[in-house]
Amino acid sequence: MRLFTKGVVAFLCLLQLPLHEGNAQPSPAPLAPGYYVVVAAYRLGQDAYAKNYISTINHNEGIEAQYGADLGRKYLYVYLDYYKDFDESIKEMLSARKKAGFEEAWVRIMKEGMGTPINLLTETAPTDKENQPTAVVASNNKSVIVPPEPEGQKEMEEVEKTVGETQLEAKGIEEKQIETELEFKEAASMPEGEEEVAASEPKPVESAQVYLSLYNATNNDQIDGEVEVIDVDRARLVEKVKANEYIHLPDPKSKSGEVSLVANVFGYRPIQHDIFYNQVPADSTGHFMEWDGNHYVIKFGLSRYHKGDINTLYNVFFYNDAAIMLPESKYQLNSLLEMMKENPRYKIMLHGHTNGNARGRIITMGPSQSFFSLANDVKVGNGSAKELSKERAEVIKEWLVAQGVAEDRIEVKAWGGARMIYDKNSANAKKNVRVDVEILEE
C-alpha cells in the first residue's frame, strides 16, 4: 500500500521544517522508513544541485519528484515516490525504468528511526559556492560522477545488501534487475567508457554511440533481438547488431552513407528506419531518433502481427526425414508461445513446407512425446513430401497444446514442395524446409 500521496507528503514536510533566522542554512529532514524509487544521489549540502535536477525532470517529464536526506550516510536522494510496501516499490521502480526513461532507477531501503521525507520546495539553496556536485543520476541524459565510499558504513552496507538480496530472491525478481544504492560505484546509465560525459551538440552518426531500443509498442516491454544494418547503395547486409546495447554502427563504406536499419523479430511486424551514417540526422528522423546528450537513441516500437500476416519460423529445425525438432528450436518456439499467450484472441494456421516432392522415410514421435530428441519409441514409416510437411506442422501444434494453448486456436496446412523459395539443389535449399505462421484471427 502506498504510504502518502505526493501532495500530502509535501504538506507534512512543510509542517516539520525547523524555524531559522537570517541566511542560516537549515539541515535537511531525514527520510522516513520505507522504500524510495530513487533516481539520483548528492552529498549533504548540495541541495541546490538536487533542486535543479528535480526542476528539470519535473518540467520535462511532468513528474513530481522530491528529495530527502540520509544523515547517516550523508547523502541527499532524489526520488520519484515513497512506499511502505516492498512489492509496490519494485513494481513502480520497474515502471519508471520503462515509462519515464529512468533506466537505472533503484529502490533505497530506509530503516526505522530515520525521520520524515522533505519536499524539494522547503529548503533554501546552499551558500557554499565551492561545494561542487557529486551525484549518481539514473537517467541517460545526465552526467554521472561517482561519490567516494562513506566512511564507517561497511557494516551497514553488508546488512542492507543481505536484506535486499533476501527480499529480491523471495519475490522471484532477478537481482540484476534491481540496482540499489550499493551500486553507486557504477556509472551504469552511460555508454561504455564515458563515466563523466557532459551533454554536447549532436554529431554525425559515425562519430557517436547509438542505442537501438527494441520494445513492445503496446506494453513498453523490452524485446530481445537484432537489427540488420543494410547498405542501401549496394542493397546488401553489412552486419546484424544486437539491440538494447550501446554500440557504434558499422560503416557501410558506401558513397552516400545511407543505411537501412531493420528490426525483424519473430512475433512482431518488422520496422525499417533509414539514416545517413556520415551525417547529423535530419529533422525528419525525429519521430524515431533523438540525441540524448552524448549518444543517439533509435526507437523501434514493434507491433504484434495482424490478421493476414505471415512469418516464417526460420529458427525451428527438424531432424532429417523427421517430424521431430532439434533442441535449438526452443527459443523461437517460446517466442511463438509468448505471442499466443499475450493475445488469447489469436488464431493461427501453421503451413508446412519441404525441399522437393520426393517420397521417403518419415520419422514421427512415439508415446513419450519427445519433441526434441530421437527417442527409442519413435515411429518410422514412409510417405510423401506433403505428408512429411503436415507432420512437421502438427508437431509444432502438439507442442503448443502441451504448453496450454487451446487446440482450436491452431490449424495446419501441408504444402510439401509446392511453394519452395529456392531451387532444391541450391546452397539455400535448406530454407525450403520451413513452417510458416499465418494469423487467421486477432
Side-chain angles (χ1 to χ4, degrees):
M1 180 181 70
R2 185 162 170 178
L3 196 56
F4 297 109
T5 64
K6 293 185 177 74
V8 174
V9 171
F11 177 72
L12 292 178
C13 293
L14 185 61
L15 293 178
Q16 296 177 32
L17 281 178
L19 296 176
H20 58 281
E21 298 178 354
N23 294 323
Q25 174 67 34
S27 298
L31 294 167
Y35 304 97
Y36 292 80
V37 179
V38 176
V39 295
Y42 296 83
R43 290 188 179 281
L44 288 181
Q46 294 179 340
D47 303 65
Y49 302 112
K51 292 175 185 177
N52 182 61
Y53 177 47
I54 288 171
S55 177
T56 299
I57 61 176
N58 286 358
H59 175 73
N60 293 338
E61 307 295 340
I63 295 172
E64 295 181 34
Q66 304 178 60
Y67 84 110
D70 180 344
L71 299 180
R73 305 201 71 181
K74 300 180 181 179
Y75 282 122
L76 298 175
Y77 294 107
V78 175
Y79 64 95
L80 303 181
D81 257 320
Y82 171 45
Y83 299 91
K84 192 70 173 179
D85 181 73
F86 176 78
D87 286 342
E88 191 171 6
S89 71
I90 296 300
K91 178 181 177 182
E92 293 303 318
M93 179 272 290
L94 295 174
S95 177
R97 286 184 172 188
K98 295 175 183 177
K99 296 181 180 178
F102 298 100
E103 290 84 356
E104 306 301 331
W106 68 96
V107 171
R108 171 71 175 113
I109 302 172
M110 295 298 292
K111 299 181 180 180
E112 291 292 335
M114 292 186 177
T116 55
I118 182 169
N119 183 267
L120 71 102
L121 299 177
T122 62
E123 291 287 354
T124 58
T127 56
D128 182 4
K129 295 182 179 179
E130 296 181 356
N131 192 10
Q132 297 300 312
T134 304
V136 174
V137 179
S139 178
N140 280 339
N141 60 356
K142 303 295 177 186
S143 297
V144 175
I145 306 174
V146 183
E149 194 74 17
E151 296 181 3
Q153 301 298 323
K154 298 295 184 182
E155 183 176 352
M156 179 179 178
E157 289 184 3
E158 290 302 319
V159 171
E160 290 183 355
K161 183 176 181 181
T162 301
V163 171
E165 289 177 349
T166 301
Q167 288 174 314
L168 295 180
E169 182 177 356
K171 305 302 178 183
I173 301 172
E174 293 185 9
E175 184 180 356
K176 66 180 180 180
Q177 287 183 297
I178 314 303
E179 294 189 24
T180 66
E181 180 200 21
L182 300 178
E183 293 172 307
F184 278 0
K185 306 177 187 68
E186 299 179 1
S189 65
M190 305 303 292
E192 183 178 356
E194 298 186 23
E195 289 188 354
E196 296 185 34
V197 181
S200 61
E201 293 299 316
K203 304 175 182 178
V205 176
E206 63 184 347
S207 305
Q209 284 190 308
V210 300
Y211 186 89
L212 303 173
S213 177
L214 264 63
Y215 61 94
N216 186 320
T218 301
N219 56 26
N220 290 323
D221 284 347
Q222 181 174 294
I223 299 172
D224 291 333
E226 295 180 323
V227 173
E228 297 176 351
V229 182
I230 308 294
D231 171 11
V232 174
D233 289 4
R234 303 182 184 91
R236 66 179 180 89
L237 174 67
V238 178
E239 188 178 333
K240 290 184 180 181
V241 296
K242 188 169 176 57
N244 303 313
E245 292 183 358
Y246 294 100
I247 64 167
H248 285 281
L249 288 177
D251 187 352
K253 298 180 181 178
S254 62
K255 185 176 181 179
S256 72
E258 186 176 5
V259 295
S260 292
L261 304 176
V262 182
N264 190 1
V265 181
F266 181 82
Y268 299 88
R269 285 187 154 187
I271 288 183
Q272 176 177 320
H273 294 320
D274 295 329
I275 63 173
F276 287 90
Y277 182 77
N278 51 10
Q279 298 178 19
V280 174
D283 292 341
S284 59
T285 66
H287 64 287
F288 67 84
M289 185 175 187
E290 61 184 30
W291 178 249
D292 201 7
N294 49 53
H295 65 281
Y296 287 104
V297 176
I298 303 178
K299 295 175 286 188
F300 296 85
L302 302 179
S303 300
R304 287 294 191 183
Y305 296 144
H306 297 314
K307 182 178 179 179
D309 286 348
I310 300 177
N311 214 325
T312 301
L313 291 164
Y314 274 126
N315 292 310
V316 172
F317 308 102
F318 298 90
Y319 288 96
N320 290 337
D321 303 324
I324 298 172
M325 296 173 285
L326 294 174
E328 54 263 40
S329 305
K330 293 178 182 179
Y331 179 81
Q332 194 163 60
L333 286 172
N334 283 328
S335 296
L336 175 59
L337 176 62
E338 181 183 351
M339 183 189 82
M340 295 295 286
K341 287 186 173 181
E342 186 177 304
N343 184 352
R345 295 184 300 276
Y346 269 143
K347 288 190 176 181
I348 62 174
M349 179 174 286
L350 300 173
H351 297 262
H353 302 273
T354 57
N355 182 42
N357 284 303
R359 292 182 60 86
R361 184 174 63 160
I362 299 178
I363 303 171
T364 56
M365 290 191 306
S368 66
Q369 281 206 316
S370 181
F371 292 101
F372 304 103
S373 66
L374 295 173
N376 293 330
D377 61 348
V378 297
K379 300 175 183 178
V380 181
N382 285 277
S384 67
K386 189 173 183 178
E387 289 173 317
L388 176 58
S389 67
K390 182 178 185 296
E391 292 290 346
R392 284 175 169 170
E394 286 284 358
V395 80
I396 294 176
K397 175 179 178 178
E398 290 181 46
W399 182 85
L400 288 170
V401 171
Q403 310 311 310
V405 179
E407 186 173 0
D408 62 2
R409 296 175 60 194
I410 310 165
E411 297 181 23
V412 166
K413 187 173 181 63
W415 294 92
R419 292 192 175 184
M420 293 190 296
I421 304 171
Y422 302 96
D423 182 86
K424 66 178 183 180
N425 297 314
S426 72
N428 291 312
K430 284 188 176 181
K431 293 184 178 181
N432 290 327
V433 180
R434 68 197 190 278
V435 174
D436 297 331
V437 178
E438 180 184 1
I439 307 300
L440 301 178
E441 293 184 25
E442 58 169 322

